[in-house]
Amino acid sequence: QVHLVESGGGSVQPGGSLRLSCTNSGHGDTPACMVWFRQAPGKEREGVASIYTRAGKTYYADSVKGRFTVSQDNAEATVYLQMNSLKPEDSAMYYCAAGRFADIRCTPWRTPVDFGYWGQGTQVTVSS
């Protein structure tokens, strides 16, 4: 059973930090492939980070590499997205998604239609 619940969004100034959480509140462990997507108004949904939870393998989009870190807590069936040095262009609705892709196939460059489970989204606004 997979039911994803996100939290942690909010408003911050440029250069600030936020940590997003995505918990599987269903009666199961952390899904194998977890990806964080974001969607700004008028733009397509884009993947920013992924983690293959069976091995901790991560990938990042170039736009967030070095600033965002994805991690997991299997005991809590939770995946986190630590976002540092936030920029106004990071403002978007952030979603976590779960899929069955393994290892090198678990990347943020997969299309959203590849994922069958989604959280409700959490808003991140970066503004001075």
Side-chain angles (χ1 to χ4, degrees), residues 72-92:
Q72 64 189 90
D73 183 338
N74 289 337
E76 298 294 329
T78 296
V79 170
Y80 301 99
L81 185 67
Q82 178 67 43
M83 305 185 296
N84 298 329
S85 302
L86 283 161
K87 304 175 182 180
E89 52 263 43
D90 294 318
S91 297

